[in-house]
Amino acid sequence: MTSLTASERDAGRNLQGNGNAGDVWADRIFRGATLVAGLTVLAVLALIAYSTTKEAWPAFHHAGLSFVTSSRWDPAHNKFGALAFVYGTLVTSLIAIVIAVPVSVGIALFTTEVASPRLRRPIVYVIDLLAAIPSVVYGLWGVFVFAAWAQPKYQTVAGWVKHIPVLNTIFGGSATGRSFMTAGIILSFMVTPIITALTRETFATVAQDDKNAAIAMGATRWEMIRVTVLPRVRGGMVAAVMLGLGRAMGETIAVALVIGSSHQITTHLFSSGDSMAAVIANEFGEAQGDHRAALIGLGVLLFVITILVNMAARLVLRMTSRDNMGSRA
Amino acid sequence: MTATMTPPNAPTPAEPPEWMLRRSVSAGRRVRNGLATMWMLLSVLAAMVPLVFVFGYVVQKGAHVISRAWFTKDLPIVDQFPGGGMKAAIIGTLVITLWATLMAVPLGVGAAIYLNEYGRHGRLARIIRFMADVMTGVPSIVMGLFVFAIFTLKYGLIGFGGSLALGALMLPIVIRSSEEMLRLVPDDLRHASDALGARRWHTVLRVILPAALPGIVSGSMLAVARAAGETAPLLFTIGAARNTNTNVFRGPNTALPLQIFNNATRPFDAAIARAWGSALTLVVIVFVFTVIARIVSARFSVRR
């Protein structure tokens, strides 16, 4: 970071007077080309927003606010209310987060505080493999293996809670293998590596001196983690959870295969439902006209939500890493 | 299993912390520490369970579908027929991903060079860096819709549409990993090259890029692995071919992830078997890329 700025270095070179005009131009062209490459990111993002909104416009125009406030999705009658899908996206992502966060934090703590360096590497590799399995493979396994295995378990649980208030509104009702719960569980496998990697990164920023101090005061390992690590990483963990949430909300194919595709809003997690991304995947093939526009509209909605979640997460991450640097200086 | 049970004299990899040896640590504190350790250990095991089961089933159910014909024959005329092969989808996946790579890697490395060698902490560079981070979070299905809107409506269902969508997914990953690698190149190299009177572009191409190359290659391969497994961006961009098509600019194409998705939703045994076979093939392809990336980065990286 102590290096000279680009313009200072260029100034030095120009004073040397040994560069011919062609060289100067080559440098400018090269810089310009890399700048254009960098600008494609901004161009693509802008183009995504513009082109999808343009294609979705007829649906937005036609449905107005009812696009997000109505749950009546009836392509045959040109009614497009996406509320049920928004609900499904939120519910499945929340289930995924609720399952994945404790597991991810546990893994991150194990690799940073407990495992020996020799054990650490293989664990990190294996967790990364979890992220390498394609979404559609999780979906295939989820629908043919997991959903079939889970259905009787769901039914047993639904039987247990039948007469318990509150619990029976969540776990009661008719239980099926292709459901919000199955989708959430499959999603939790997919977001665990992301949340683990990010929390591990923030855990690693905690100063060893602080940990040593806690141990020297007679703390057990857990007490050391509680007083030195956890308070320091709250921001990083919030960001990690948000990025995991963003990923879960955008996940398409696995959810499309296991969620059961029924347009309903229900508190019963063992019932089938649908999510924004899954509906696009399942219906786009046959869609024409306004129906297609409405599906692209769902994509616009998904894009806006995930972009906002990601921006917020990155800002939190940036702020907390700056704080940590400040405290260490 | 838990660390608290380790007797003080046992040979442990790290020396046991002092508190473990003391009698004065109360039972409650020991129990809480043990429970916390148990939680961490169980978390690691819990993450292994899906991995083992997904792998196990993919190999078990996919292996017996795969034969010589799997790699040499195209798809049967209808999904319920047994027989035929997956050549069309294997080739499709490879050429579509190849074209995506040809677009995303040069652009991504170029952008990374701008960010690390020219823009650095400037306002524009910070915005691009931030937006590249944000772009990694754009759902893959949105990329598919985007390409459908700007490309497919005009040029029809061809392999190149899928390449565009996958390339857009890869771009931010390549940018961020390449920039990370360029940042690891010590400034001494830049100064040395400057001192010899080299122009900046010369320095970048002859000194900095070669030094960062292994890291860039490995990061790009991870992006390729991620893209090769994507289904959603291909759903409405490449069509549904049954025969091998190596030309991404003409005619519909197909790919392994699409074959898994389509066959999994058909109620025929032959189709479902084909889905498992495709899943095994895809997982092997993705893992080969991932492992090569790891080897490249482990073998050639000096500074890590």
Side-chain angles (χ1 to χ4, degrees):
Chain A
M1 297 302 124
T2 54
S3 67
L4 305 173
T5 66
S7 57
E8 281 166 338
R9 291 163 67 183
D10 287 342
R13 249 186 307 265
N14 290 336
L15 287 177
Q16 289 162 3
N18 61 354
N20 57 38
D23 248 11
V24 176
W25 276 105
D27 215 16
R28 279 188 195 159
I29 290 168
F30 186 71
R31 186 198 162 113
T34 62
L35 175 60
V36 168
L39 289 175
T40 49
V41 169
L42 306 185
V44 169
L45 282 174
L47 208 54
I48 294 174
Y50 170 76
S51 64
T52 51
T53 308
K54 184 168 154 254
E55 291 301 322
W57 196 251
F60 286 151
H61 187 74
H62 179 76
L65 212 56
S66 74
F67 190 73
V68 284
T69 56
S70 156
S71 63
R72 182 164 174 224
W73 182 269
D74 187 356
H77 296 94
N78 252 3
K79 291 283 177 232
F80 301 105
L83 191 62
F85 310 135
V86 177
Y87 175 80
T89 296
L90 291 179
V91 167
T92 49
S93 322
L94 284 178
I95 297 174
I97 291 297
V98 166
I99 298 171
V101 166
V103 173
S104 306
V105 174
I107 298 170
L109 282 176
F110 188 83
T111 48
T112 51
E113 308 299 339
V114 181
S116 64
R118 254 203 311 177
L119 195 58
R120 192 174 305 157
R121 272 181 94 83
I123 294 178
V124 171
Y125 277 1
V126 167
I127 302 299
D128 282 351
L129 280 188
L130 213 51
I133 297 177
S135 164
V136 68
V137 175
Y138 276 118
L140 179 70
W141 179 80
V143 70
F144 287 114
V145 182
F146 185 84
W149 174 84
Q151 181 154 331
K153 314 277 185 292
Y154 292 164
Q155 280 160 351
T156 312
V157 175
W160 286 341
V161 300
K162 209 186 300 174
H163 301 296
I164 307 173
V166 183
L167 283 186
N168 65 5
T169 59
I170 300 175
F171 300 110
S174 64
T176 150
R178 301 189 188 189
S179 59
F180 289 118
M181 186 54 102
T182 301
I185 292 173
I186 301 283
L187 281 177
S188 75
F189 303 156
M190 308 172 85
V191 298
T192 293
I194 300 169
I195 304 181
T196 304
L198 282 159
T199 39
R200 207 178 55 225
E201 242 165 68
T202 42
F203 286 174
T205 62
V206 177
Q208 188 62 41
D209 286 353
D210 292 2
K211 298 183 198 167
N212 291 346
I215 295 289
M217 302 275 281
T220 65
R221 181 165 55 215
W222 171 239
E223 287 161 350
M224 176 273 283
I225 289 169
R226 228 187 46 210
V227 299
T228 66
V229 180
L230 295 185
R232 200 65 64 75
V233 298
R234 233 165 255 158
M237 271 166 55
V238 168
V241 169
M242 289 169 78
L243 287 176
L245 192 69
R247 173 82 202 274
M249 291 195 298
E251 229 357 287
T252 308
I253 293 299
V255 177
L257 283 167
V258 301
I259 199 168
S261 304
S262 65
H263 306 174
Q264 59 169 337
I265 297 181
T266 166
T267 55
H268 299 311
L269 299 185
F270 295 150
S271 301
S272 52
D274 224 332
S275 82
M276 290 193 269
V279 170
I280 303 172
N282 281 328
E283 294 188 358
F284 202 87
E286 300 95 75
Q288 292 294 329
D290 276 0
H291 186 195
R292 179 193 278 170
L295 289 171
I296 299 180
L298 280 178
V300 174
L301 206 56
L302 195 57
F303 177 69
V304 171
I305 296 174
T306 49
I307 285 280
L308 289 179
V309 168
N310 269 276
M311 280 184 166
R314 298 289 172 185
L315 287 175
V316 170
L317 207 58
R318 205 150 282 196
M319 263 153 33
T320 52
S321 70
R322 201 176 299 148
D323 286 352
N324 277 358
M325 296 237 220
S327 74
R328 255 189 294 166
Chain B
M1 276 301 241
T2 58
T4 39
M5 289 177 189
T6 316
N9 296 331
T12 47
E15 62 185 85
E18 192 265 347
W19 60 267
M20 273 189 207
L21 311 178
R22 262 182 300 130
R23 296 245 157 260
S24 62
V25 177
S26 71
R29 293 172 62 199
R30 276 173 200 272
V31 167
R32 265 192 297 265
N33 186 64
L35 285 177
T37 312
M38 191 84 94
W39 159 49
M40 296 172 208
L41 210 61
L42 283 178
S43 302
V44 174
L45 293 179
M48 310 260 166
V49 170
L51 195 65
V52 170
F53 275 93
V54 172
F55 264 118
Y57 274 97
V58 166
V59 171
Q60 183 210 326
K61 298 200 168 214
H64 69 92
V65 187
I66 293 178
S67 61
R68 225 181 109 88
W70 183 260
F71 300 100
T72 55
K73 287 194 172 158
D74 283 338
L75 287 144
I77 308 159
V78 247
D79 287 328
Q80 62 252 56
F81 290 177
M86 225 5 107
K87 182 177 151 224
I90 297 172
I91 302 284
T93 285
L94 293 179
V95 292
I96 290 168
T97 315
L98 175 73
W99 278 96
T101 311
L102 289 178
M103 289 183 282
V105 169
L107 264 181
V109 174
I113 291 172
Y114 174 76
L115 290 179
N116 199 58
E117 306 300 324
Y118 293 106
R120 289 242 157 171
H121 302 294
R123 197 181 166 76
L124 183 60
R126 286 215 310 266
I127 293 174
I128 292 175
R129 208 172 278 132
F130 181 76
M131 292 316 261
D133 275 341
V134 170
M135 194 175 165
T136 57
V138 173
S140 60
I141 188 129
V142 171
M143 290 299 184
L145 291 174
F146 158 61
V147 170
F148 178 84
I150 60 154
F151 183 85
T152 309
L153 283 175
K154 211 177 277 172
Y155 301 98
L157 297 162
I158 57 175
F160 192 69
S163 304
L164 279 176
L166 295 185
L169 275 177
M170 290 169 66
L171 181 65
I173 309 177
V174 174
I175 292 176
R176 295 303 272 139
S177 69
S178 304
E179 198 205 348
E180 208 69 32
M181 293 306 142
L182 291 174
R183 197 178 307 149
L184 288 176
V185 176
D187 271 342
D188 292 354
L189 286 180
R190 294 186 180 86
H191 296 323
S193 184
D194 286 352
L196 290 170
R199 285 267 153 204
R200 175 63 61 84
W201 68 280
H202 223 131
T203 306
V204 169
L205 290 181
R206 301 297 288 273
V207 179
I208 298 170
L209 268 188
L213 198 62
I216 291 174
V217 169
S218 122
S220 302
M221 290 194 72
L222 287 178
V224 171
R226 156 117 199 254
E230 282 289 352
T231 317
L234 309 179
L235 272 176
F236 13 87
T237 51
I238 68 168
R242 294 191 161 269
N243 298 317
T244 306
N245 179 3
T246 51
N247 186 350
V248 293
F249 298 103
R250 180 179 287 270
N253 218 313
T254 189
L256 285 167
L258 270 191
Q259 288 301 328
I260 302 173
F261 183 62
N262 288 337
N263 281 303
T265 49
R266 301 267 190 282
F268 315 117
D269 287 345
I272 291 167
R274 214 170 276 129
W276 284 106
S278 309
L280 179 57
T281 317
L282 181 63
V283 164
V284 168
I285 291 177
V286 168
F287 274 60
V288 165
F289 275 106
T290 312
V291 168
I292 294 177
R294 292 258 178 255
I295 292 174
V296 168
S297 77
R299 179 76 52 91
F300 296 100
S301 82
V302 204
R303 292 163 296 275
R304 261 194 306 165

